[in-house]
Amino acid sequence: MLTNNLLSIKRRPWPVSILYLGAIAVLLTGWLPTLLGARIGEPLLDVLFLGSSAAMLVRYGARKGVLLAQEIGWAIYLIIGAVLAVLLRGVHPLDFAQAYKFVWYLVLLAPFAWSRAAMAPSDFNRLLNLSLFMFFTVYLIKRLLGDDRPVLMTENNFEIIFLALLYFSVYVSGIRPTAAQTFLLLGIVVLSGSRSAAVAVALVVAFSFDFKSRNAAKILGGTVAAVIGIALALVVFESRSEGGIETIDRFRFFLLFLESVKDWTLADYLLGADRLTPLPPYVCSQLAFYSVLFSYENTGSCYSVILHSFNLRIVYDHGLLISALMILYLLHLTRSASIAQRVCVIGIVLASGLSVSALNNVYTALGIGLFCMAASSRIQSNAVADN
């Protein structure tokens, strides 16, 4: 069974128990409020992410080095941004929080990399099994009931990124995902109808392929899964892109972004707009359909969140320099993994950032935290084997 031994009693470091048991609780119950129109899965995961990060920091402390210096740098950047935007320019605190949310997650991710209490590979695998079971079952039932964009807790653009990173974490921890797990993951993507999820899943399936294996069956199975993953990604794209590129809403957002920065100088591209600058009024007026994403000030103004793309948002609000520093930080944060594995994670962040909030949501942040712990688990397992 997919949930076999899920709640098996074993001694785990208490920070790991908080993360593991908390994730199980959210996966089992977070979908229920959606039946009544309430989506509390994301807030619950935010609490879990914050609690797990704090627990690991209290239990294991911070490690002196480049990562600590970078984390302090991000914390200072967050404080400076708050002073400039909220205190000096009078930006609504919630608008500021929306634009700087990814910085908060970057700060909280460091303890996952510092943690010396790596989660056991078997626990990663159990979490994946439960996640696949919950996602596939709920998505399938909602599809049969006529929902063409089913969700478990929030938008499937977000939550399948977490599922993809969890699948990849299982592989990184030392357990090769089974064919059943892979095909369930691919089935979930088809049921979701999400293009960004299709790209993320195609990446993790491809990067989980063992090119060094001498087992013909594994090579054939991995090749088939990778081909199917890429094919499904193309199918989802094609099904959601009828009428050409001009009909894709993200392409329209990109054109509006270009319109917003048409007068920018090189310094503007490097540093972003003044903290925190709304989009031009005529751009907001063209996006009136998304008024729910307008400023919390209720003045008819809107910020870059309305562009529905983390990549565009980070360039507009923070500039190319901060974008580059973010990627460097992620590479250092995941240094326990191989170069190929780190490239895969960065690829997922960039791909999801084309159409959704990428690092500006807890699903991606928590998935990266699990990936960091999986890489540490692999290193510890190899060290034990060597001894």
Side-chain angles (χ1 to χ4, degrees), residues 1-277:
M1 294 177 61
L2 285 173
T3 55
N4 187 37
N5 296 323
L6 182 66
L7 297 175
S8 60
I9 299 176
K10 59 189 295 187
R11 296 190 64 178
R12 300 181 180 91
W14 64 271
V16 173
S17 293
I18 290 175
L19 177 59
Y20 177 73
L21 297 177
I24 290 174
V26 174
L27 286 167
L28 288 175
T29 64
W31 63 277
L32 291 170
T34 64
L35 300 178
L36 301 175
R39 297 185 178 182
I40 65 170
E42 188 169 357
L44 288 176
L45 287 177
D46 270 317
V47 172
L48 176 62
F49 183 67
L50 174 60
S52 299
S53 178
M56 291 176 192
L57 184 61
V58 169
R59 177 65 178 82
Y60 301 105
R63 297 183 188 179
K64 294 181 179 180
V66 176
L67 185 59
L68 177 59
Q70 290 175 321
E71 186 195 31
I72 294 174
W74 285 113
I76 293 173
Y77 180 70
L78 185 64
I79 294 171
I80 292 175
V83 171
L84 292 176
V86 180
L87 295 183
L88 298 182
R89 301 195 63 190
V91 172
H92 195 288
L94 293 179
D95 288 324
F96 169 80
Q98 185 69 254
Y100 277 73
K101 195 175 182 181
F102 79 98
V103 182
W104 171 251
Y105 287 140
L106 291 178
V107 172
L108 293 178
L109 271 171
F112 289 87
W114 288 328
S115 173
R116 293 182 292 276
M119 187 184 295
S122 58
D123 284 343
F124 282 106
N125 201 45
R126 292 188 185 103
L127 277 180
L128 177 61
N129 286 338
L130 174 63
S131 299
L132 291 171
F133 175 77
M134 294 301 300
F135 273 84
F136 188 81
T137 302
V138 173
Y139 278 23
L140 180 60
I141 291 174
K142 289 187 175 182
R143 269 287 192 174
L144 293 175
L145 293 176
D147 188 350
D148 61 349
R149 292 300 301 273
V151 302
L152 182 68
M153 295 180 290
T154 317
E155 289 186 39
N156 56 34
N157 283 336
F158 301 160
E159 55 192 21
I160 296 183
I161 301 300
F162 166 78
L163 185 60
L165 286 167
L166 176 57
Y167 174 94
F168 196 51
S169 295
V170 170
Y171 168 75
V172 171
S173 73
I175 297 180
R176 194 168 307 284
T178 65
Q181 289 172 326
T182 301
F183 285 111
L184 269 177
L185 179 63
L186 297 175
I188 290 167
V189 172
V190 174
L191 292 172
S192 74
S194 169
R195 289 177 293 206
S196 56
V199 174
V201 168
L203 279 172
V204 297
V205 170
F207 275 84
S208 299
F209 179 71
D210 185 9
F211 292 97
K212 297 180 181 179
S213 176
R214 296 182 179 180
N215 187 310
K218 289 183 178 180
I219 293 176
L220 179 60
T223 302
V224 170
V227 170
I228 291 177
I230 295 172
L232 289 177
L234 294 174
V235 168
V236 172
F237 262 89
E238 179 64 24
S239 65
R240 302 262 332 270
S241 305
E242 296 180 2
I245 190 172
E246 65 278 359
T247 64
I248 300 176
D249 52 2
R250 266 60 179 185
F251 180 69
R252 181 188 176 202
F253 296 144
F254 176 66
L255 294 180
L256 291 173
F257 166 79
L258 293 179
E259 184 68 20
S260 301
V261 301
K262 64 181 180 181
D263 296 323
W264 274 21
T265 64
L266 177 60
D268 292 323
Y269 280 106
L270 289 176
L271 302 177
D274 291 339
R275 308 296 187 269
L276 188 66
T277 303

Side-chain angles (χ1 to χ4, degrees), residues 321-334:
L321 181 59
I322 289 298
S323 302
L325 290 175
M326 180 196 71
I327 293 175
L328 290 175
Y329 179 74
L330 290 176
L331 287 172
H332 195 78
L333 186 78
T334 57

Side-chain angles (χ1 to χ4, degrees), residues 308-342:
H308 293 77
S309 168
F310 177 73
N311 295 350
L312 298 182
R313 291 165 60 182
I314 193 172
V315 171
Y316 187 84
D317 291 331
H318 304 276
L320 294 173
L321 181 59
I322 289 298
S323 302
L325 290 175
M326 180 196 71
I327 293 175
L328 290 175
Y329 179 74
L330 290 176
L331 287 172
H332 195 78
L333 186 78
T334 57
R335 66 191 183 281
S336 296
S338 69
I339 292 295
Q341 292 165 353
R342 294 154 76 188

